[in-house]
Amino acid sequence: MDTERQCAPEQSTESKPEGKARGADINYGIDDNPPWYFCIMMALQHYLTMIGAIVSIPFILTPALCMRDEDPARGTIISTMIFVTGLITYLQATWGCRLPLVQGGTISFLVPTLAILNLPQWKCPPADAIDAMTDTDRTELWQVRMRELSGAIAVAAVTQLVLGFSGLVGKLLRIITPLTIVPTVALVGITLFQHASETASKQWGIAVGTTAMLTLFSQVMGEVPFPGIAYRKGHGLRVVWFPLFKLFPVLLTIAIMWTVCGVLTATGVFPEGHPARTDVRLRVLQDAEWFRVPYPGQFGLPTVSLAGVLGMLAGVLACTVESISYYPTIAQMCAAPPPPLHAINRGIGIEGLGTMLAGLWGSGNGTNTFGENVGAIGVTKVGSRRVIQWAALIMVLQGVLNKFGAAFIMIPDPVVGGIFCVMFGMITAFGLAALQYVDLRSSRNLYILGVSFFFPLVLCLWLQEHPGAIQTGNQTVDSTLSVLLGTTILVGGVLGCVLDNLIPGTPEERGLVAWSKEMALETVQANDDLPAGGLAWEKSTFDFPYGMQLMRRWKWTRYVPFLPTYRMKL
C-alpha cells in the first residue's frame, strides 16, 4: 500500500489554455477536461458545498409565507431551488460568463422578501387561526404569497437582463463604487440577525455548539489532512490525504450536531415537541413524493404589484454587484485570463434570466454566485468548467427527488440557527471587505459609511414597528414606499451611492483607482490586425462552444455587447 500526502489526479493530456500561466499551482485549468470519474467526484463536492446554503433559505422564507413547520411543501420548495440552480449553473458555465461558478438561491433576496411580507395585507394570521383552517385553505394561504413573490422576482429580474445584455454594466459600475458596495452587501447579513437569533434561541446549547464546531473545522482544522483509502489500477491500494475539514466544514458540522440531537431525542433529554428533536418534522419526509418535476407556475399564476417589483430590485442590485466582484477572483483561481467585458455582460444577463426562471418556477428566491463554491475551487485547485457542468446535471437530477429535499427540512432549528450565525456574519464581512480599496483615514469616507449604515437600520426598524405610518391616500403608493424604505440594502446602497458621487473626493480617496484595477472591466483596444473577438486566449476561454466561425464572418456582431466578438474602442 502506497502512501501519498495529497490526492492529486493525473493531468489531462489535452493542451492547457494560454491563460494557464496565471496560476502555477493548479491541477486543472478552466478549459481542461479531467477524466469523467474525477469530474463526477468533484461535481459531488460542489453539490455538497452549495446544498448547505440552499437549505438554509426556506427556514426563513417558509415561516414568513405562513407555512407550518411540518408542511411537506417545504421540501418541494427546496427541490425547486436545487432544480433551478442546476439549470442556471449549466447555462452560466456554458453560454454565460463561462467561468466555473455555481449560480443558485441567495440570501440577498430574503431582505426585500421579508419587507414585502411585512406589509399589512401579507402578514400571517394568528397561529390558532391557521390551525383551524382546512388543508386546502392552509395551502392557499402560503401559495398566494408565493405567487406575489414569484411575480415580483420575475419582473424585477428584467432589470438585470437589460443591464447585462445591453452592456450597461460597465457604465453602471462607474457610479457603483466600493462605498456603495459596502452597505449594500453588508446590510444583508446585518438585517437578518434577528432571524438567526430567533432560530438559535430555541436551544442555545446546540446553536452555540454548532457555531463553535463550524469555527473549529473551517478555521482551526482547515489545513489538517484527513486519511482515506483509494485504489488505482497498477498501483493498488494507497492512503491519500485530503483537507476534509476545509472542504466540508458545514456538512460535517450539520451531520455531527444532527446526530447529537438524535441521541438527545432518543434518550428523552429533549421532551416531546421540543424544536431541537430530530423527529419534530418527521411527517414532512413521510408525506413527500419520491419523484416530482418542478415546472413554471406550479403554485399558480404569478401576480405582480408595483411594491413587490420595486422591492425586489434591491435584491437584484445587491446580487449584481456581488457577482461582478466574484468574476475576477474566480478567473484568477482557475488560471483563466481576466474576464473581458462581453463575458461580464453576458454573465449578468444570464444571472437575470436565472432569477426570472427561479421566480416563475416558484422558488421564492432569485439566483446569485455561490461564494462557497468559489472557495472550493481555491482549495481543490480544480477550476475546470467541465466539473461544474457535471455538478449542474447532478443538481437537476436531484431536484426531481422530492424525498431528498424533504430530508433537509428535518434538520433541527437550533442547528440551523448556529449555521446562520456564521453565514450571515460572513456575508456582512464580505461586504466590509470592499473597504480595503478606500482610504479609511478620510473623514469624508467615514461620514458616508456611518450614514449609509446607521440610517437604514433606524428607518427600517421604525417602519416595522409602525406598519401603517405611511399614509398618502393611495394604497399602492403606501405599499410601494413601505417596501422600498423598509429594505435596508436598498436604502443603504442608494445613500452610499448618492453621497459618494456628490461629496467631493479624489479617485484615490474614494478607492476608484484600486477598484478599477481589480475589476479589469475594459476590453482590448480595437485593432484591425486582431481577429474579431480580440486576443487568442479570449477565443479559447470565453467564446461560445459552438458557432464562433460563423459569428466572426459577421461584422455587426462586433457591436453587440454580450457576444464574444464584441470589440469596444477605448
Side-chain angles (χ1 to χ4, degrees), residues 27 64 110 257 261 267 293 415 436 486 493 498 500 546 550 554:
N27 290 325
L110 284 178
M257 296 308 297
C261 290
T267 55
V293 179
V415 176
Q436 64 184 298
V498 171
D500 190 34
Y546 309 105
L550 181 63
W554 298 330

Side-chain angles (χ1 to χ4, degrees), residues 447-475:
Y447 179 87
I448 295 173
L449 285 172
V451 173
S452 60
F453 264 107
F454 194 77
F455 182 77
L457 294 173
V458 172
L459 177 62
C460 296
L461 178 62
W462 182 79
L463 286 175
Q464 289 177 9
E465 295 177 348
H466 304 82
I470 299 178
Q471 297 289 342
T472 64
N474 186 297
Q475 184 177 2

Side-chain angles (χ1 to χ4, degrees), residues 442-520:
S442 167
S443 59
R444 168 198 182 274
N445 292 344
L446 294 178
Y447 179 87
I448 295 173
L449 285 172
V451 173
S452 60
F453 264 107
F454 194 77
F455 182 77
L457 294 173
V458 172
L459 177 62
C460 296
L461 178 62
W462 182 79
L463 286 175
Q464 289 177 9
E465 295 177 348
H466 304 82
I470 299 178
Q471 297 289 342
T472 64
N474 186 297
Q475 184 177 2
T476 301
V477 175
D478 294 344
S479 299
T480 301
L481 291 176
S482 297
V483 172
L484 293 179
L485 297 179
T487 305
T488 54
I489 59 176
L490 178 63
V491 177
V494 170
L495 267 178
C497 181
V498 171
L499 293 176
D500 190 34
N501 284 279
L502 288 182
I503 299 177
T506 65
E508 292 79 7
E509 182 183 18
R510 298 173 59 194
L512 300 183
V513 176
W515 179 243
S516 62
K517 293 179 181 178
E518 179 74 18
M519 294 310 300

